[in-house]
Amino acid sequence: ESGGVTFEVTDAGPGFPPGNPADLFGRFTRGDTPEVRAARGSGLGLAICRAAVRAHGGRIEASNRAGGGAVVTVFLPDPLDSETPAPTGA
């Protein structure tokens, strides 16, 4: 992408629960499915990712993939490109 790099992380799991995608980045946010409860996560993963991406002037978004699974998209600006627009969104 012009002015930086965009990458996606995908999986083939149950996807994100319905609701506001911005809520996924809150601390201690976990899905309420048996698979998620069995994983014993703390619900900090996406909150930490968001903090790291924002610290580098980027943006992060999460959504469900068509056909199942989740996708997290990250844009990180080129630190040497002074024309990179300021980040927007989550």
Side-chain angles (χ1 to χ4, degrees):
E1 185 171 324
S2 177
V5 63
T6 298
F7 63 92
E8 292 182 344
V9 178
T10 63
D11 71 16
F16 294 115
N20 184 354
D23 292 343
L24 297 171
F25 296 97
R27 293 182 191 148
F28 308 111
T29 300
R30 295 180 56 193
D32 192 24
T33 65
E35 297 86 3
V36 171
R37 287 192 300 269
R40 298 183 182 171
S42 62
L44 291 172
L46 287 176
I48 292 169
C49 289
R50 178 180 63 179
V53 168
R54 284 183 171 176
H56 292 282
R59 64 181 181 271
I60 185 169
E61 300 171 351
S63 61
N64 288 319
R65 290 187 331 153
V71 60
V72 176
T73 305
V74 174
F75 171 78
L76 294 172
D78 181 347
L80 302 177
D81 182 355
S82 62
E83 295 183 23
T84 300
T88 60

